[in-house]
Amino acid sequence: MPKLVIVESPAKAKTIGAYLGPDFIVEASVGHIRDLPNKLDEVPDAFRAEPWVKAFVGVNPDDDFKAIYVVNKDKEGRVRDLKKALKGADELYLATDEDREGEAIAWHLLETLNPQVPVKRMVFHEITKTAIQEALANPRDLDRQLVDAQEARRILDRLYGYGVSTVLWRKVQARSAGRVQSVATRIVVERERERMAFVSASWWDLSAAMATTTDATAPTFQAGLYAIDGTRVATSRDFDESGRLTNPAATILDEAAATDLADRVARGTASVTSVEVKPATRRPAPPFTTSTLQQEAGRKLRYAAQRTMRAAQRLYENGYITYMRTDSTTLSASAINGARHEIAERYGAEHVPDAPRHYASKAKGAQEAHEAIRPSPDDAERFRAPTTLKGTLSGDEFALYDLIWKRWIASQMRDAQLERVQARIAVGLDDGREVTLSASGQTIIFAGFLLAYVEGSDDPEADLGDRETILPAMSEGDALEVRDTAASGHETRPPARYTEASLVKRLEELGIGRPSTYAATVRVIQDREYVRKDASALVPTVLAFAVTQLMERYFTHLVDYDFTAKMESDLDLISEGDLEYVPWLRKFFFGNGTPGLKALISEERLPDIDAREINAVPLGVDEAGTPIELRNGKYGPYLQRGDQTASISGEIALDELTVAKAVELLERPSDDRQLGSDPGTGQQVWVRNGRFGPYVQLGNPEDGKPEKASSLFKDMDISSISLETALKLLSLPRTVGAHPDDGAEIQALNGRYGPYVKWGKESRSLDDEAALFTITLEEAVAKLREPKYGARRSATTLKELGKDPVSGEDMIIKDGRFGAYVTDGEYNATIPKGVDPQSIDDERAAELLAERRAKGPAKKASKKRSAKKTARKATKKATKKTAKKTAKKTAKKATG
């Protein structure tokens, strides 16, 4: 009988199946098959009446946190298939990933399948023939401690998420809270607070083009202002965030002084006062961990964390790289030897260090330590160069593989040897003062690892360090010629907003979360509308400020960085068997000397939470001393000054919302205005800006008269709308004519999903809103005879995007019956409610399609099932008819 091997993904199953041969059946669980129920109707009937079910849906804190697990609806078919495969097998190998989550998936498979054959745990960190055969020969038992750690994390996150989210929804109408996502949101908000508090300071300096000779064709080098009469000139590092000079000994130049100084330096006499030459060494960065891969792919490839992890997952499953969820920088002996061989072949033996390099992990609580992310060898044990895979891998996969390959090679190369030169130049001025200029240079003596790879930086303007700046040969006392000078002004800049890469880096520094969770965390805070992207920067919304303020004031320790990091460390202790998870959860939930989660989210405490206070962000006071606040409202953010309010765009960045800007917005003229009167009724016609956008209105509601309203078309401007256009809008719906089949009216209307024509129960969408006024009876009849919603229905195209990295097909955003969606021709992914389809870029579209693709193809109801459904309906109808007749007879007897 064959042996059954279960992995997580179909791609992985296909690759491993090819290595194992006909004696093995390799199946995929397609991720988790079982989890806590997401809603009450997923809870088994036997538990649904329990009082604890409603609060945490599947977890009972009063019974040692016993959890109910249910097979996911979309995995019921998969479970049936796995059980069927197991019946014909004589052994079961659980070959899920070797981390907490992989161990938990294996445990859930074991619990659900209930195998009656020997079970073995098979683990590997790369999908190569050698690694698979070695894993097969050395199986182990299920690691219950890893399972306990993962289940503790899952239960903790359920308690935290469901418990705190209930409070957030009632007080700030936020969607959710989470152990890591709430802290990540706080980090982004704190950076915005720093930017809001920042006061810019300005200073001026000058630069000079210098030469060592009077030959006009000789090359020049740049020197910058350093000091005047021995007193250093202020630079950005001499100012604090309030704009105050922190070094009183530094001189601040204004524009006039800097311009005058530049003119005098141009006429001055220059000579070298000192030249300092220092050797320097640069060491290569270690090979990638999950976190550093996400950071570097963000910097160099401009990939979002989730996009990086999707590409890495595909590379791993197809045997091109080692396991991509790791915080280890260790390399195996074969990987080190392979790198050293490649270096010698490509760059020469002189670039191979005498001894192999070994790196120690710097991540707090590193525990999922398989090996660093690096290329996997092929069946011939050769490490494939990127150039050999150019036509094999997709765009994203190739770019990421190339990055991983170069980092792996560079990590085993010799150090780069540099020579850095610092020259000081004195310039005598005609007014008796002396100015000191400074010039810096760098020469690469031995390139070493720089030939293969240079690490990026979180600062987009930072020099990567691989560029040479060569100064001419100079000695103390040498005369120099000043060729040109220029004064330039500068302003201090606020701290940069986080990008996905720098946020991941910060989370790792704090020891919060795990490498495998960072991509999901960054995505969820965007999906929850706590953070939006402006280019690559993460900008917090007003909602994020409200959520963070509530958490900081009423759930302080839950967003405390040290507390959250300690929870992660405790999970490590559980996985190592040094801590029991039930007492740990009990302390978190019920408290021990300090209030636990149960007390924090209790109904008795809710009245103490001041919703008005936490939904307000103070901006300052106006000239009259009246406070101005930015508030998080039910229908979006708005400004308030006393009784005066003004709605603002959710796209505004809080650091740009100064008091002056707020006053301007509060005092801007209202868009609401009277356009004139309707000739037919004599009622006033108004144009207004409402919660759902601009609209025209017949009648003034303040007069208590009947009113009618109609939204402006998308291409209409509220500031230029005319009475004539308003009356046309108010005339909708428009009767197009009588349908030739039955004489019933055909109407043109504007609805929730856009313009359409309607005839009885039949309706069809129109391509644009203008057609509401122009469509003829003939055109409307033809439109209504088109196929209804289905495979051949033509949805309106809203936006065309690039190629999907998986299918290679064009991605298109369309407006369908149930709203906007993105499609690649095979899969359709719904665009989340509240997200503007026009804001979706290639990256986000690819993510939505990948999430939809992961759920598998849409299931079609079988004819057998449809027949059963029809039979049930007929039986139900007949039963109702019989009951009705019986009731009539009974009533007749009763009144007889």
Side-chain angles (χ1 to χ4, degrees), residues 304 306-308 310-311 314 396 523 801-813 822-824 827 829 831 840-854:
Q306 204 162 43
R307 182 178 177 184
T308 298
R310 274 203 314 273
R314 293 193 294 270
D396 279 11
R523 171 50 57 195
L801 301 167
K803 303 281 186 186
D804 177 70
V806 177
S807 67
E809 299 296 327
D810 291 331
M811 297 183 292
I812 301 172
I813 295 178
V822 60
T823 180
D824 67 345
Y827 285 93
I831 292 174
I840 301 292
D841 56 13
D842 286 15
E843 179 185 311
R844 182 60 177 137
E847 287 177 1
L848 289 169
L849 284 168
E851 290 164 8
R852 172 64 188 86
R853 198 175 285 114

mmCIF file of all heavy atoms in Angstrom, residues 304 306-308 310-311 314 396 523 801-813 822-824 827 829 831 840-854:
data_model
loop_
_atom_site.group_PDB
_atom_site.id
_atom_site.type_symbol
_atom_site.label_atom_id
_atom_site.label_comp_id
_atom_site.label_asym_id
_atom_site.label_seq_id
_atom_site.Cartn_x
_atom_site.Cartn_y
_atom_site.Cartn_z
ATOM 1 N N ALA A 304 5.678 45.518 -1.504
ATOM 2 C CA ALA A 304 5.040 45.478 -0.200
ATOM 3 C C ALA A 304 5.431 44.164 0.475
ATOM 4 O O ALA A 304 5.795 43.184 -0.193
ATOM 5 C CB ALA A 304 3.525 45.560 -0.346
ATOM 6 N N GLN A 306 3.686 41.849 1.850
ATOM 7 C CA GLN A 306 2.877 40.704 1.447
ATOM 8 C C GLN A 306 3.262 40.205 0.056
ATOM 9 O O GLN A 306 3.286 39.006 -0.203
ATOM 10 C CB GLN A 306 1.397 41.079 1.494
ATOM 11 C CG GLN A 306 0.487 39.882 1.673
ATOM 12 C CD GLN A 306 -0.887 40.283 2.142
ATOM 13 O OE1 GLN A 306 -1.453 41.247 1.648
ATOM 14 N NE2 GLN A 306 -1.444 39.545 3.084
ATOM 15 N N ARG A 307 3.576 41.137 -0.820
ATOM 16 C CA ARG A 307 4.001 40.751 -2.172
ATOM 17 C C ARG A 307 5.318 39.973 -2.107
ATOM 18 O O ARG A 307 5.505 38.978 -2.816
ATOM 19 C CB ARG A 307 4.157 42.011 -3.019
ATOM 20 C CG ARG A 307 4.540 41.760 -4.460
ATOM 21 C CD ARG A 307 4.605 43.085 -5.217
ATOM 22 N NE ARG A 307 5.029 42.924 -6.588
ATOM 23 C CZ ARG A 307 5.236 43.942 -7.427
ATOM 24 N NH1 ARG A 307 5.040 45.193 -7.005
ATOM 25 N NH2 ARG A 307 5.630 43.730 -8.674
ATOM 26 N N THR A 308 6.229 40.429 -1.260
ATOM 27 C CA THR A 308 7.500 39.738 -1.078
ATOM 28 C C THR A 308 7.277 38.313 -0.597
ATOM 29 O O THR A 308 7.868 37.367 -1.122
ATOM 30 C CB THR A 308 8.366 40.496 -0.054
ATOM 31 O OG1 THR A 308 8.639 41.809 -0.547
ATOM 32 C CG2 THR A 308 9.673 39.779 0.215
ATOM 33 N N ARG A 310 4.606 36.433 -0.826
ATOM 34 C CA ARG A 310 3.943 35.588 -1.815
ATOM 35 C C ARG A 310 4.962 35.027 -2.814
ATOM 36 O O ARG A 310 4.941 33.848 -3.149
ATOM 37 C CB ARG A 310 2.865 36.380 -2.566
ATOM 38 C CG ARG A 310 1.530 36.417 -1.882
ATOM 39 C CD ARG A 310 0.426 36.697 -2.896
ATOM 40 N NE ARG A 310 0.749 37.768 -3.802
ATOM 41 C CZ ARG A 310 0.524 39.055 -3.568
ATOM 42 N NH1 ARG A 310 -0.050 39.415 -2.445
ATOM 43 N NH2 ARG A 310 0.852 39.967 -4.444
ATOM 44 N N ALA A 311 5.845 35.908 -3.278
ATOM 45 C CA ALA A 311 6.869 35.464 -4.235
ATOM 46 C C ALA A 311 7.824 34.473 -3.566
ATOM 47 O O ALA A 311 8.207 33.463 -4.168
ATOM 48 C CB ALA A 311 7.628 36.669 -4.779
ATOM 49 N N ARG A 314 6.253 31.010 -3.274
ATOM 50 C CA ARG A 314 6.274 30.263 -4.537
ATOM 51 C C ARG A 314 7.679 29.720 -4.834
ATOM 52 O O ARG A 314 7.835 28.599 -5.318
ATOM 53 C CB ARG A 314 5.778 31.143 -5.688
ATOM 54 C CG ARG A 314 4.298 31.504 -5.588
ATOM 55 C CD ARG A 314 3.781 32.090 -6.895
ATOM 56 N NE ARG A 314 4.375 33.375 -7.216
ATOM 57 C CZ ARG A 314 3.885 34.548 -6.841
ATOM 58 N NH1 ARG A 314 2.796 34.604 -6.103
ATOM 59 N NH2 ARG A 314 4.478 35.670 -7.198
ATOM 60 N N ASP A 396 8.210 38.733 -10.473
ATOM 61 C CA ASP A 396 8.424 38.919 -9.038
ATOM 62 C C ASP A 396 9.372 37.868 -8.480
ATOM 63 O O ASP A 396 10.266 38.172 -7.686
ATOM 64 C CB ASP A 396 7.092 38.833 -8.283
ATOM 65 C CG ASP A 396 6.321 40.138 -8.340
ATOM 66 O OD1 ASP A 396 6.711 41.023 -9.127
ATOM 67 O OD2 ASP A 396 5.322 40.277 -7.610
ATOM 68 N N ARG A 523 -0.540 44.639 6.216
ATOM 69 C CA ARG A 523 -1.710 44.682 5.337
ATOM 70 C C ARG A 523 -2.983 44.961 6.124
ATOM 71 O O ARG A 523 -3.819 45.744 5.707
ATOM 72 C CB ARG A 523 -1.818 43.355 4.580
ATOM 73 C CG ARG A 523 -3.104 43.153 3.781
ATOM 74 C CD ARG A 523 -3.443 44.326 2.878
ATOM 75 N NE ARG A 523 -2.398 44.641 1.942
ATOM 76 C CZ ARG A 523 -2.331 45.767 1.258
ATOM 77 N NH1 ARG A 523 -3.251 46.709 1.425
ATOM 78 N NH2 ARG A 523 -1.353 46.005 0.403
ATOM 79 N N LEU A 801 -4.998 47.796 -15.591
ATOM 80 C CA LEU A 801 -3.741 47.722 -14.861
ATOM 81 C C LEU A 801 -2.735 46.879 -15.642
ATOM 82 O O LEU A 801 -2.976 46.523 -16.792
ATOM 83 C CB LEU A 801 -3.996 47.125 -13.468
ATOM 84 C CG LEU A 801 -4.993 47.908 -12.587
ATOM 85 C CD1 LEU A 801 -5.404 47.067 -11.390
ATOM 86 C CD2 LEU A 801 -4.381 49.221 -12.126
ATOM 87 N N GLY A 802 -1.647 46.539 -14.977
ATOM 88 C CA GLY A 802 -0.608 45.753 -15.631
ATOM 89 C C GLY A 802 -0.892 44.260 -15.566
ATOM 90 O O GLY A 802 -2.013 43.830 -15.328
ATOM 91 N N LYS A 803 0.154 43.478 -15.759
ATOM 92 C CA LYS A 803 0.031 42.018 -15.790
ATOM 93 C C LYS A 803 -0.005 41.453 -14.366
ATOM 94 O O LYS A 803 0.718 41.916 -13.490
ATOM 95 C CB LYS A 803 1.225 41.390 -16.525
ATOM 96 C CG LYS A 803 1.422 41.892 -17.944
ATOM 97 C CD LYS A 803 0.454 41.225 -18.914
ATOM 98 C CE LYS A 803 0.772 41.622 -20.361
ATOM 99 N NZ LYS A 803 -0.240 41.105 -21.296
ATOM 100 N N ASP A 804 -0.837 40.421 -14.175
ATOM 101 C CA ASP A 804 -0.836 39.709 -12.901
ATOM 102 C C ASP A 804 0.424 38.857 -12.840
ATOM 103 O O ASP A 804 0.730 38.131 -13.789
ATOM 104 C CB ASP A 804 -2.075 38.813 -12.783
ATOM 105 C CG ASP A 804 -2.073 38.015 -11.505
ATOM 106 O OD1 ASP A 804 -2.248 38.625 -10.435
ATOM 107 O OD2 ASP A 804 -1.878 36.789 -11.562
ATOM 108 N N PRO A 805 1.201 38.937 -11.726
ATOM 109 C CA PRO A 805 2.472 38.199 -11.655
ATOM 110 C C PRO A 805 2.315 36.688 -11.672
ATOM 111 O O PRO A 805 3.258 35.977 -11.980
ATOM 112 C CB PRO A 805 3.079 38.676 -10.329
ATOM 113 C CG PRO A 805 1.940 39.236 -9.545
ATOM 114 C CD PRO A 805 0.975 39.774 -10.551
ATOM 115 N N VAL A 806 1.126 36.175 -11.360
ATOM 116 C CA VAL A 806 0.919 34.724 -11.342
ATOM 117 C C VAL A 806 0.428 34.215 -12.691
ATOM 118 O O VAL A 806 1.026 33.333 -13.308
ATOM 119 C CB VAL A 806 -0.085 34.319 -10.233
ATOM 120 C CG1 VAL A 806 -0.353 32.821 -10.281
ATOM 121 C CG2 VAL A 806 0.462 34.714 -8.867
ATOM 122 N N SER A 807 -0.682 34.784 -13.176
ATOM 123 C CA SER A 807 -1.265 34.303 -14.431
ATOM 124 C C SER A 807 -0.632 34.920 -15.669
ATOM 125 O O SER A 807 -0.725 34.366 -16.759
ATOM 126 C CB SER A 807 -2.771 34.586 -14.441
ATOM 127 O OG SER A 807 -3.013 35.992 -14.499
ATOM 128 N N GLY A 808 -0.004 36.093 -15.482
ATOM 129 C CA GLY A 808 0.579 36.781 -16.633
ATOM 130 C C GLY A 808 -0.435 37.516 -17.482
ATOM 131 O O GLY A 808 -0.094 38.101 -18.512
ATOM 132 N N GLU A 809 -1.711 37.496 -17.050
ATOM 133 C CA GLU A 809 -2.772 38.157 -17.810
ATOM 134 C C GLU A 809 -2.974 39.592 -17.338
ATOM 135 O O GLU A 809 -2.601 39.964 -16.221
ATOM 136 C CB GLU A 809 -4.087 37.376 -17.655
ATOM 137 C CG GLU A 809 -4.036 35.951 -18.161
ATOM 138 C CD GLU A 809 -3.785 35.869 -19.660
ATOM 139 O OE1 GLU A 809 -4.255 36.767 -20.382
ATOM 140 O OE2 GLU A 809 -3.112 34.926 -20.100
ATOM 141 N N ASP A 810 -3.598 40.421 -18.195
ATOM 142 C CA ASP A 810 -3.894 41.804 -17.828
ATOM 143 C C ASP A 810 -4.888 41.836 -16.673
ATOM 144 O O ASP A 810 -5.856 41.068 -16.642
ATOM 145 C CB ASP A 810 -4.501 42.561 -19.022
ATOM 146 C CG ASP A 810 -3.490 42.784 -20.126
ATOM 147 O OD1 ASP A 810 -2.296 42.878 -19.803
ATOM 148 O OD2 ASP A 810 -3.892 42.851 -21.295
ATOM 149 N N MET A 811 -4.656 42.738 -15.728
ATOM 150 C CA MET A 811 -5.593 42.929 -14.614
ATOM 151 C C MET A 811 -6.493 44.121 -14.936
ATOM 152 O O MET A 811 -5.999 45.176 -15.343
ATOM 153 C CB MET A 811 -4.835 43.179 -13.303
ATOM 154 C CG MET A 811 -3.970 42.016 -12.871
ATOM 155 S SD MET A 811 -3.142 42.299 -11.290
ATOM 156 C CE MET A 811 -1.981 43.599 -11.740
ATOM 157 N N ILE A 812 -7.794 43.940 -14.768
ATOM 158 C CA ILE A 812 -8.771 44.989 -15.089
ATOM 159 C C ILE A 812 -9.717 45.163 -13.914
ATOM 160 O O ILE A 812 -10.170 44.178 -13.324
ATOM 161 C CB ILE A 812 -9.584 44.623 -16.359
ATOM 162 C CG1 ILE A 812 -8.640 44.422 -17.553
ATOM 163 C CG2 ILE A 812 -10.617 45.696 -16.680
ATOM 164 C CD1 ILE A 812 -9.326 43.865 -18.786
ATOM 165 N N ILE A 813 -10.009 46.410 -13.578
ATOM 166 C CA ILE A 813 -11.002 46.695 -12.538
ATOM 167 C C ILE A 813 -12.319 46.991 -13.237
ATOM 168 O O ILE A 813 -12.395 47.844 -14.135
ATOM 169 C CB ILE A 813 -10.578 47.882 -11.662
ATOM 170 C CG1 ILE A 813 -9.314 47.528 -10.881
ATOM 171 C CG2 ILE A 813 -11.700 48.271 -10.696
ATOM 172 C CD1 ILE A 813 -8.781 48.660 -10.029
ATOM 173 N N VAL A 822 -11.692 43.256 -9.284
ATOM 174 C CA VAL A 822 -10.539 43.163 -10.176
ATOM 175 C C VAL A 822 -10.499 41.744 -10.743
ATOM 176 O O VAL A 822 -10.780 40.774 -10.041
ATOM 177 C CB VAL A 822 -9.223 43.517 -9.436
ATOM 178 C CG1 VAL A 822 -8.969 42.589 -8.262
ATOM 179 C CG2 VAL A 822 -8.035 43.482 -10.392
ATOM 180 N N THR A 823 -10.179 41.635 -12.020
ATOM 181 C CA THR A 823 -10.170 40.320 -12.669
ATOM 182 C C THR A 823 -8.941 40.169 -13.553
ATOM 183 O O THR A 823 -8.425 41.154 -14.088
ATOM 184 C CB THR A 823 -11.449 40.114 -13.507
ATOM 185 O OG1 THR A 823 -11.409 38.822 -14.119
ATOM 186 C CG2 THR A 823 -11.574 41.181 -14.597
ATOM 187 N N ASP A 824 -8.474 38.917 -13.672
ATOM 188 C CA ASP A 824 -7.420 38.619 -14.639
ATOM 189 C C ASP A 824 -7.959 37.711 -15.741
ATOM 190 O O ASP A 824 -7.208 37.104 -16.493
ATOM 191 C CB ASP A 824 -6.219 37.955 -13.956
ATOM 192 C CG ASP A 824 -6.536 36.560 -13.410
ATOM 193 O OD1 ASP A 824 -7.731 36.224 -13.306
ATOM 194 O OD2 ASP A 824 -5.590 35.831 -13.085
ATOM 195 N N TYR A 827 -9.946 34.690 -12.493
ATOM 196 C CA TYR A 827 -10.435 34.921 -11.135
ATOM 197 C C TYR A 827 -10.936 36.352 -10.986
ATOM 198 O O TYR A 827 -10.345 37.289 -11.540
ATOM 199 C CB TYR A 827 -9.322 34.661 -10.111
ATOM 200 C CG TYR A 827 -9.040 33.201 -9.893
ATOM 201 C CD1 TYR A 827 -8.051 32.548 -10.632
ATOM 202 C CD2 TYR A 827 -9.756 32.458 -8.961
ATOM 203 C CE1 TYR A 827 -7.789 31.196 -10.446
ATOM 204 C CE2 TYR A 827 -9.497 31.115 -8.760
ATOM 205 C CZ TYR A 827 -8.521 30.486 -9.506
ATOM 206 O OH TYR A 827 -8.268 29.156 -9.320
ATOM 207 N N ALA A 829 -11.823 39.166 -8.018
ATOM 208 C CA ALA A 829 -11.639 39.480 -6.598
ATOM 209 C C ALA A 829 -12.373 40.774 -6.270
ATOM 210 O O ALA A 829 -12.132 41.806 -6.893
ATOM 211 C CB ALA A 829 -10.155 39.627 -6.282
ATOM 212 N N ILE A 831 -13.352 44.158 -4.624
ATOM 213 C CA ILE A 831 -12.636 45.264 -3.988
ATOM 214 C C ILE A 831 -13.367 45.602 -2.694
ATOM 215 O O ILE A 831 -14.586 45.781 -2.700
ATOM 216 C CB ILE A 831 -12.558 46.485 -4.919
ATOM 217 C CG1 ILE A 831 -11.655 46.140 -6.116
ATOM 218 C CG2 ILE A 831 -12.045 47.717 -4.194
ATOM 219 C CD1 ILE A 831 -11.603 47.184 -7.188
ATOM 220 N N ILE A 840 -6.753 51.611 -6.464
ATOM 221 C CA ILE A 840 -6.103 50.295 -6.529
ATOM 222 C C ILE A 840 -4.981 50.321 -7.559
ATOM 223 O O ILE A 840 -5.196 50.670 -8.713
ATOM 224 C CB ILE A 840 -7.127 49.201 -6.902
ATOM 225 C CG1 ILE A 840 -8.268 49.136 -5.873
ATOM 226 C CG2 ILE A 840 -6.452 47.849 -7.043
ATOM 227 C CD1 ILE A 840 -7.882 48.640 -4.518
ATOM 228 N N ASP A 841 -3.763 49.980 -7.122
ATOM 229 C CA ASP A 841 -2.635 49.925 -8.044
ATOM 230 C C ASP A 841 -2.330 48.460 -8.392
ATOM 231 O O ASP A 841 -3.008 47.539 -7.933
ATOM 232 C CB ASP A 841 -1.399 50.615 -7.450
ATOM 233 C CG ASP A 841 -1.003 50.033 -6.092
ATOM 234 O OD1 ASP A 841 -1.514 48.946 -5.733
ATOM 235 O OD2 ASP A 841 -0.178 50.655 -5.399
ATOM 236 N N ASP A 842 -1.321 48.251 -9.229
ATOM 237 C CA ASP A 842 -0.968 46.898 -9.674
ATOM 238 C C ASP A 842 -0.695 45.969 -8.500
ATOM 239 O O ASP A 842 -1.133 44.816 -8.474
ATOM 240 C CB ASP A 842 0.272 46.938 -10.576
ATOM 241 C CG ASP A 842 -0.041 47.497 -11.957
ATOM 242 O OD1 ASP A 842 -1.116 48.101 -12.120
ATOM 243 O OD2 ASP A 842 0.791 47.343 -12.867
ATOM 244 N N GLU A 843 0.034 46.498 -7.519
ATOM 245 C CA GLU A 843 0.437 45.684 -6.371
ATOM 246 C C GLU A 843 -0.765 45.201 -5.571
ATOM 247 O O GLU A 843 -0.896 44.022 -5.252
ATOM 248 C CB GLU A 843 1.366 46.524 -5.491
ATOM 249 C CG GLU A 843 1.851 45.828 -4.241
ATOM 250 C CD GLU A 843 2.667 46.765 -3.383
ATOM 251 O OE1 GLU A 843 3.585 47.428 -3.923
ATOM 252 O OE2 GLU A 843 2.379 46.861 -2.177
ATOM 253 N N ARG A 844 -1.683 46.134 -5.271
ATOM 254 C CA ARG A 844 -2.859 45.769 -4.472
ATOM 255 C C ARG A 844 -3.783 44.847 -5.269
ATOM 256 O O ARG A 844 -4.368 43.906 -4.707
ATOM 257 C CB ARG A 844 -3.606 47.037 -4.031
ATOM 258 C CG ARG A 844 -4.820 46.763 -3.142
ATOM 259 C CD ARG A 844 -4.445 46.055 -1.869
ATOM 260 N NE ARG A 844 -5.568 45.849 -0.994
ATOM 261 C CZ ARG A 844 -5.807 44.722 -0.334
ATOM 262 N NH1 ARG A 844 -4.994 43.697 -0.445
ATOM 263 N NH2 ARG A 844 -6.855 44.621 0.464
ATOM 264 N N ALA A 845 -3.909 45.094 -6.577
ATOM 265 C CA ALA A 845 -4.746 44.234 -7.413
ATOM 266 C C ALA A 845 -4.209 42.807 -7.414
ATOM 267 O O ALA A 845 -4.976 41.844 -7.289
ATOM 268 C CB ALA A 845 -4.802 44.783 -8.835
ATOM 269 N N ALA A 846 -2.895 42.681 -7.524
ATOM 270 C CA ALA A 846 -2.275 41.349 -7.513
ATOM 271 C C ALA A 846 -2.506 40.656 -6.176
ATOM 272 O O ALA A 846 -2.726 39.441 -6.121
ATOM 273 C CB ALA A 846 -0.782 41.459 -7.813
ATOM 274 N N GLU A 847 -2.457 41.426 -5.091
ATOM 275 C CA GLU A 847 -2.707 40.859 -3.762
ATOM 276 C C GLU A 847 -4.135 40.345 -3.645
ATOM 277 O O GLU A 847 -4.380 39.246 -3.133
ATOM 278 C CB GLU A 847 -2.448 41.910 -2.684
ATOM 279 C CG GLU A 847 -0.980 42.222 -2.465
ATOM 280 C CD GLU A 847 -0.771 43.325 -1.442
ATOM 281 O OE1 GLU A 847 -1.788 43.821 -0.905
ATOM 282 O OE2 GLU A 847 0.382 43.675 -1.184
ATOM 283 N N LEU A 848 -5.108 41.140 -4.122
ATOM 284 C CA LEU A 848 -6.511 40.735 -4.052
ATOM 285 C C LEU A 848 -6.747 39.461 -4.860
ATOM 286 O O LEU A 848 -7.456 38.548 -4.418
ATOM 287 C CB LEU A 848 -7.408 41.860 -4.565
ATOM 288 C CG LEU A 848 -7.520 43.103 -3.662
ATOM 289 C CD1 LEU A 848 -8.200 44.246 -4.399
ATOM 290 C CD2 LEU A 848 -8.285 42.792 -2.379
ATOM 291 N N LEU A 849 -6.137 39.396 -6.038
ATOM 292 C CA LEU A 849 -6.296 38.202 -6.874
ATOM 293 C C LEU A 849 -5.627 36.983 -6.228
ATOM 294 O O LEU A 849 -6.149 35.873 -6.301
ATOM 295 C CB LEU A 849 -5.706 38.443 -8.265
ATOM 296 C CG LEU A 849 -6.564 39.314 -9.201
ATOM 297 C CD1 LEU A 849 -5.770 39.724 -10.426
ATOM 298 C CD2 LEU A 849 -7.837 38.573 -9.625
ATOM 299 N N ALA A 850 -4.475 37.215 -5.578
ATOM 300 C CA ALA A 850 -3.785 36.105 -4.914
ATOM 301 C C ALA A 850 -4.625 35.562 -3.756
ATOM 302 O O ALA A 850 -4.716 34.348 -3.554
ATOM 303 C CB ALA A 850 -2.422 36.560 -4.407
ATOM 304 N N GLU A 851 -5.257 36.475 -2.997
ATOM 305 C CA GLU A 851 -6.120 36.049 -1.894
ATOM 306 C C GLU A 851 -7.319 35.271 -2.417
ATOM 307 O O GLU A 851 -7.729 34.259 -1.840
ATOM 308 C CB GLU A 851 -6.578 37.273 -1.091
ATOM 309 C CG GLU A 851 -5.451 37.917 -0.294
ATOM 310 C CD GLU A 851 -5.799 39.323 0.185
ATOM 311 O OE1 GLU A 851 -6.971 39.738 0.023
ATOM 312 O OE2 GLU A 851 -4.902 40.002 0.716
ATOM 313 N N ARG A 852 -7.892 35.740 -3.534
ATOM 314 C CA ARG A 852 -9.035 35.040 -4.128
ATOM 315 C C ARG A 852 -8.604 33.682 -4.684
ATOM 316 O O ARG A 852 -9.295 32.674 -4.526
ATOM 317 C CB ARG A 852 -9.635 35.919 -5.244
ATOM 318 C CG ARG A 852 -10.707 35.227 -6.080
ATOM 319 C CD ARG A 852 -11.929 34.865 -5.237
ATOM 320 N NE ARG A 852 -12.863 34.038 -5.970
ATOM 321 C CZ ARG A 852 -12.793 32.718 -6.068
ATOM 322 N NH1 ARG A 852 -11.802 32.054 -5.462
ATOM 323 N NH2 ARG A 852 -13.695 32.038 -6.738
ATOM 324 N N ARG A 853 -7.422 33.651 -5.311
ATOM 325 C CA ARG A 853 -6.929 32.415 -5.908
ATOM 326 C C ARG A 853 -6.659 31.358 -4.839
ATOM 327 O O ARG A 853 -6.861 30.167 -5.060
ATOM 328 C CB ARG A 853 -5.642 32.733 -6.688
ATOM 329 C CG ARG A 853 -5.251 31.692 -7.700
ATOM 330 C CD ARG A 853 -4.041 32.147 -8.489
ATOM 331 N NE ARG A 853 -4.365 33.154 -9.468
ATOM 332 C CZ ARG A 853 -3.932 34.410 -9.416
ATOM 333 N NH1 ARG A 853 -3.157 34.811 -8.439
ATOM 334 N NH2 ARG A 853 -4.271 35.280 -10.354
ATOM 335 N N ALA A 854 -6.210 31.830 -3.658
ATOM 336 C CA ALA A 854 -5.907 30.901 -2.565
ATOM 337 C C ALA A 854 -7.149 30.167 -2.074
ATOM 338 O O ALA A 854 -7.066 29.080 -1.510
ATOM 339 C CB ALA A 854 -5.263 31.658 -1.408
#
